[in-house]
Amino acid sequence: MNIILFGPPGAGKGTQADNITETFNLYKISTGDLLRDEINKKTNLGERIKSIINKGSFVSDEIINDLIVKILSVQKYYNRLIFDGYPRNLDQAKSLDDLLKKYKQKITCVLCLNVDKDVIIKRILGRRTCTKCGLIFNEYFKPPADAKHICGTKFLTKRSDDNEKTITYRYETYIEKTLPILSYYKKLNLLHEIDGKREINEIFKKISDIIASLEAWLCKFYLYKYRN
Ligand SMILES: [Zn+2]
């Protein structure tokens, strides 16, 4: 079972990725983490990545592919991956297919959390962090007053980059870059779109149902294949 998860910033993708990882015993792969790990390991590749990032440039698809290969070639990750924030463009999606094929795997499903821009803006603008205890609240979805929060409202702050213009820009960039990838996976019959406006638990229930039904199907498929 290899899964790709898409969703605009503020859609709760990170939370869902963690839930899926735990429940279905998968490994979350994000290229951000892979890049950081490689830099921390101080390998040759890591040094190269560090100098690219320090120059303010983007890491090439070729480097990203090298990092993905390192994951695909490890036995414990075999067919147990959930990709978060990757692939970022159509080229990366196509090379991922090739790389997976080389390591005798494929994408089982692509999950996309759909949330309207208005909802995202409301969610992100509502975020409040308590500087005293570090808890995160949301004026709309998890008001500090309801959460038995002992510090009171005195220490609540807004994140400085949480303004409407930045959020709109990030959302639109996401849509523009992601739509071609989604239509690619749709043609391959792998895309499952999920209503991301619902409660976190409801969304996870929906995701679990999709994964469970695919697992059941895969199981039947292999039983059939090996019996015959
Ligand atoms: Zn607090």
Side-chain angles (χ1 to χ4, degrees):
M1 171 88 37
N2 292 319
I3 299 171
I4 302 177
L5 187 59
F6 286 106
K13 186 165 60 78
T15 311
Q16 297 300 345
D18 291 340
N19 286 343
I20 300 170
T21 313
E22 257 175 56
T23 310
F24 294 95
N25 203 8
L26 303 176
Y27 294 94
K28 183 169 95 172
I29 303 300
S30 93
T31 44
D33 290 343
L34 294 180
L35 291 168
R36 268 188 296 275
D37 285 353
E38 200 64 35
I39 292 173
N40 290 337
K41 277 190 264 169
K42 296 190 192 307
T43 57
N44 283 341
L45 184 58
E47 293 299 321
R48 248 172 80 205
I49 294 168
K50 197 172 155 185
S51 79
I52 294 169
I53 292 175
N54 285 345
K55 267 188 270 169
S57 310
F58 288 102
V59 176
S60 66
D61 287 355
E62 192 200 334
I63 291 182
I64 301 287
N65 287 346
D66 287 348
L67 293 173
I68 297 291
V69 165
K70 284 191 182 196
I71 295 294
L72 295 181
S73 53
V74 176
Q75 186 58 35
K76 82 165 177 179
Y77 295 134
Y78 182 80
N79 259 333
R80 310 204 83 92
L81 300 173
I82 172 156
F83 295 98
D84 176 11
Y86 170 88
R88 271 187 204 281
N89 56 49
L90 207 50
D91 285 338
Q92 285 187 356
K94 287 176 182 168
S95 4
L96 178 62
D97 282 349
D98 293 340
L99 296 174
L100 283 168
K101 204 184 248 175
K102 199 171 149 195
Y103 289 92
K104 311 231 178 313
Q105 299 176 59
K106 55 185 168 186
I107 294 297
T108 317
C109 69
V110 177
L111 304 169
C112 179
L113 300 176
N114 289 331
V115 194
D116 294 340
K117 189 165 73 184
D118 296 347
V119 177
I120 295 278
I121 288 176
K122 207 172 152 185
R123 275 187 193 172
I124 299 180
L125 287 181
R127 267 187 207 161
R128 300 286 179 272
T129 310
C130 176
T131 51
K132 196 174 176 195
C133 69
L135 285 179
I136 298 167
F137 301 96
N138 195 294
E139 298 273 296
Y140 304 101
F141 304 101
K142 189 190 171 194
D146 297 355
K148 289 180 190 156
H149 173 228
I150 48 165
C151 317
T153 52
K154 216 163 82 184
F155 303 98
L156 295 179
T157 50
K158 273 171 82 169
R159 243 172 66 177
S160 58
D161 60 342
D162 288 349
N163 66 63
E164 201 167 331
K165 218 173 129 192
T166 321
I167 300 163
T168 306
Y169 176 74
R170 269 192 265 151
Y171 183 88
E172 280 165 2
T173 311
Y174 163 81
I175 296 291
E176 197 186 297
K177 292 202 168 162
T178 314
L179 277 182
I181 317 174
L182 292 181
S183 63
Y184 172 74
Y185 287 122
K186 199 171 186 173
K187 273 186 214 139
L188 296 172
N189 269 327
L190 292 173
L191 182 65
H192 298 258
E193 298 191 77
I194 295 152
D195 179 5
K197 281 194 304 293
R198 298 196 247 171
E199 277 262 339
I200 288 178
N201 293 336
E202 278 179 74
I203 298 173
F204 185 59
K205 172 79 176 59
K206 180 85 192 153
I207 291 175
S208 302
D209 288 348
I210 294 171
I211 298 176
S213 74
L214 287 169
E215 270 188 335
W217 187 87
L218 280 176
C219 191
K220 266 189 224 158
F221 174 79
Y222 284 112
L223 280 175
Y224 179 82
K225 193 173 155 187
Y226 290 111
R227 220 180 20 220
N228 292 282

